[in-house]
């Protein structure tokens, strides 16, 4: 009889722990302190995909806007492939916030966006896209010194 009580308690405790962990993961990804950065990131990517310079300048620095416009023309598959954004992690330091999103666009799948707080909302200061823009160069052939 005593084993049933202890076993049942352990099962209940394990279930509560699992439920708490799942709840924490859902909260941190969809409702947590960095969830407000998903909308400006989507706006940034949509503006870049549409080559909308006015919208890009509203949400991003001139350097980021120019880079994304160039990328949209040269490699549109990079921006079009970045779809569903799931927050992986975030960090704040002063007025700067860096948020890393998991995307399904590329094999590496991590999009990192750096925001700076302004009076009108967060402004994108840097973007690290998940897909490499330049194909990896083949290894350099070396002459065999023994031949």
């Amino acid at each position: 009889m005593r084993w049933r009580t202890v076993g049942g308690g352990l099962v209940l405790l394990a279930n509560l722990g699992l439920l708490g962990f799942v709840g924490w993961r859902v909260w941190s990804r969809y409702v947590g302190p960095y969830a407000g950065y998903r909308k400006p990131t989507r706006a940034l990517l949509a503006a870049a995909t549409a080559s909308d310079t006015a919208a890009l300048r509203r949400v991003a620095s001139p350097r980021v806007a120019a880079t994304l416009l160039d990328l949209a023309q040269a490699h549109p598959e990079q921006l079009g492939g970045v779809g569903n954004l799931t927050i992986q992690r975030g960090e704040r330091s002063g007025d700067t916030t860096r948020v890393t999103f998991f995307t399904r666009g590329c094999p590496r799948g991590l999009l990192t966006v750096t925001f700076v707080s302004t009076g009108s909302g967060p402004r994108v200061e840097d973007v690290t896209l998940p897909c490499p823009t330049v194909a990896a160069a083949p290894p350099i052939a070396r002459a065999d010194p023994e031949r």
Side-chain angles (χ1 to χ4, degrees), residues 8 11 20 34 39 41 43 52 62 69 72-73 90 92 99 110 113 118 130 140 144:
V11 169
Y34 302 105
K39 186 176 180 179
T41 303
D52 185 351
L69 284 173
Q73 291 174 355
R92 260 191 200 114
V99 182
L110 292 178
V113 184
T118 63
I140 298 172
D144 191 2

Side-chain angles (χ1 to χ4, degrees), residues 6-77:
V6 171
L10 289 175
V11 169
L12 177 64
L13 187 62
N15 285 334
L16 287 175
L18 180 63
L19 182 64
F21 175 74
V22 169
W24 173 77
R25 291 297 288 178
V26 168
W27 180 83
S28 65
R29 286 187 179 204
Y30 301 107
V31 186
Y34 302 105
Y37 293 98
R38 189 179 292 120
K39 186 176 180 179
T41 303
R42 284 191 179 134
L44 173 81
L45 296 173
T49 303
S51 296
D52 185 351
T53 56
L56 270 173
R57 289 190 178 131
R58 277 194 302 271
V59 296
S61 69
R63 182 183 60 81
V64 170
T67 301
L68 288 177
L69 284 173
D70 291 344
L71 184 67
Q73 291 174 355
H75 300 282
E77 70 279 357

Side-chain angles (χ1 to χ4, degrees), residues 116-146:
V116 173
S117 298
T118 63
S120 61
R123 183 172 185 81
V124 177
E125 288 297 318
D126 192 29
V127 174
T128 304
L129 293 168
C131 306
T133 55
V134 179
I140 298 172
R142 296 184 182 202
D144 191 2
E146 295 179 10

